[in-house]
Amino acid sequence: MATSGARGPALAEDPPEVLPLRAAGRDVAEYVWNPQVALGNSPRPYLHPVRTLAGLVVTEAGPDSHRHQFGISIAAPDIDGSNFWGGRTFVADHGPAWLDNHGSQRHQRWLHHTSGGLAHTLRWVSGDQRDLLHETRSLACRPLSDTAWTLSTRSRLTNVTERPLTIRSPAALGRPGAGYGGFFWRGPAITGTIAILSPLGNGVASVHGRTAAWTAVTCAGGEDGDWTVLFAPADEGTARDRWFVRARDYLGVGSSLTWESPLTLAPGESIERHIAAVIADGAVSAATAAELAATARSAR
């Protein structure tokens, strides 16, 4: 990458394809910025493994049941007909189908990268090799307490085509409850007792498809130990997005860009989203989760 003048130490050379991230002096995540995955899984950067400060892994990548789900990533099932989610595409009046329409997210250049965070630009390229979106993405890891740390994820997506781009979820095409697309966390294999918490109540039904100031997943009595992962919108735009929550056959939480109504970006238009996540040791109570969410938003 050419720059004017001397390069700072963080830009001395391209980092490895996997960039480790640290908080409180510990390795807490790895950012796979140049993934080597099949096109049918919609290649994109992702975080995995993500760990608590005690070292418990709270993500999964490429599991047998959903080979296209990768740790923490930003993905969308339908942008102008291209599948940036991976796997099958939901077709109205038909259902899921394998189509030759998978897009990919491609690293463009680094803005900065250190052990505690990074920022880079990406191109969202359609299956027929057209640039649809350009993105600026930043991640920041910070200690929150002796048992918790926070991950800030910011994304700015810009339509770089000369026509409107439509972003749809399967819910917009007739699949009830399937309003996924945007920031998404794929949790580890389910062991122990899982609880879904939010200000609206406990359980998936209380928060799935609704807006809330935060939502959290806790695991008590797991094979490796107890943990909590919490997500909170950190700006007004993100706070208007609904939560997609799954805990039946796998653990997943997403902040959805769109639900039953498509989102259309005019040429040159941008949208910004910001999620503050908390990764904690121990299965916390709803009251403690609310405190963690408030602290994470103030620390962003």
Side-chain angles (χ1 to χ4, degrees):
M1 179 180 64
T3 60
S4 59
R7 297 179 181 179
L11 297 176
E13 60 184 53
D14 283 346
E17 293 185 349
V18 176
L19 184 66
L21 294 170
R22 294 172 62 82
R26 305 172 199 179
D27 292 335
V28 292
E30 294 181 4
Y31 187 60
V32 184
W33 62 270
N34 186 20
Q36 304 298 316
V37 300
L39 179 60
N41 292 327
S42 297
R44 58 194 181 274
Y46 61 90
L47 287 157
H48 176 75
V50 176
R51 305 177 182 90
T52 69
L53 292 178
L56 302 182
V57 176
V58 296
T59 51
E60 179 62 278
D64 290 340
S65 61
H66 295 78
R67 300 294 295 174
H68 54 280
Q69 294 181 351
F70 300 100
I72 293 175
S73 70
I74 298 173
D78 186 338
I79 299 179
D80 195 44
S82 286
N83 180 343
F84 289 91
W85 182 267
R88 295 179 295 174
T89 298
F90 187 85
V91 179
D93 301 320
H94 174 81
W98 281 104
L99 302 179
D100 186 19
N101 68 337
H102 292 89
S104 61
Q105 298 173 25
R106 303 178 187 176
H107 166 78
Q108 188 171 24
R109 69 184 182 93
W110 291 105
L111 303 177
H112 70 80
H113 53 79
T114 67
S115 63
L118 59 87
H120 66 143
T121 59
L122 305 97
R123 299 163 51 220
W124 290 51
V125 182
S126 68
D128 57 0
Q129 302 304 302
R130 293 177 294 121
D131 279 25
L132 300 184
L133 297 165
H134 285 179
E135 179 186 2
T136 300
R137 181 181 304 176
S138 65
L139 306 173
C141 304
R142 299 182 179 89
L144 202 61
S145 71
D146 292 340
T147 58
W149 63 279
T150 181
L151 169 69
S152 169
T153 303
R154 296 175 184 262
S155 173
R156 178 183 175 89
L157 293 167
T158 302
N159 177 1
V160 295
T161 73
E162 296 181 350
R163 55 190 176 77
L165 283 181
T166 301
I167 302 173
R168 295 183 178 89
S169 74
L173 296 169
R175 185 177 179 183
Y180 53 83
F183 175 97
F184 186 76
W185 165 77
R186 167 62 196 244
I190 297 175
T191 65
T193 300
I194 299 298
I196 307 298
L197 311 177
S198 80
L200 306 178
N202 297 342
V204 171
S206 67
V207 69
H208 177 75
R210 303 176 68 184
T211 61
W214 56 269
T215 187
V217 180
T218 71
C219 173
E223 289 181 0
D224 298 321
D226 299 352
W227 52 263
T228 297
V229 179
L230 177 147
F231 307 94
D235 61 23
E236 293 183 0
T238 311
R240 291 191 290 270
D241 293 340
R242 302 191 211 176
W243 294 108
F244 175 89
V245 181
R246 186 86 171 250
R248 186 175 67 252
D249 50 347
Y250 71 87
L251 295 176
V253 174
S255 178
S256 301
L257 290 172
T258 176
W259 205 271
E260 71 275 356
S261 299
L263 171 65
T264 300
L265 293 181
E269 184 179 2
S270 299
I271 55 171
E272 298 186 31
R273 294 295 187 267
H274 184 190
I275 291 286
V278 177
I279 295 86
D281 288 293
V284 307
S285 66
T288 299
E291 294 173 359
L292 289 172
T295 305
R297 281 193 295 266
S298 64
R300 69 183 186 270

